[in-house]
Amino acid sequence: MSDDRIGQRAADLLPEERTAGSADPQGQAEAILAESDEREELPDAAPSTFLEHRTSDQTVTPADGTR
């Protein structure tokens, strides 16, 4: 991961990131990019990452899910 990439990410914080503030924007950017790179390389390996894939026949119909 390049310093330029980290610097650019730190400079371009999302609005919610700016609102929350950060004592270490460079460190925050580095952590965000590292997790993003990990998810791209190994989608099932990133912590707290789970993407469920279902087909339409596996969903609950309103009649099944309501009281």
Side-chain angles (χ1 to χ4, degrees):
M1 182 176 337
S2 73
D3 288 341
D4 289 341
R5 184 173 174 224
I6 294 169
Q8 185 64 39
R9 178 61 176 91
D12 294 333
L13 294 176
L14 298 174
E16 56 270 23
E17 293 169 340
R18 274 193 207 101
T19 300
S22 176
D24 183 10
Q26 289 289 117
Q28 181 179 350
E30 188 172 355
I32 290 168
L33 292 171
E35 186 176 323
S36 177
D37 290 346
E38 183 178 359
R39 281 196 313 264
E40 282 185 4
E41 291 174 22
L42 304 166
D44 297 329
S48 303
T49 301
F50 178 73
L51 182 60
E52 188 173 352
H53 296 281
R54 292 195 223 177
T55 61
S56 60
D57 62 321
Q58 295 172 313
T59 60
V60 177
T61 62
D64 295 339
T66 59
R67 294 187 229 188

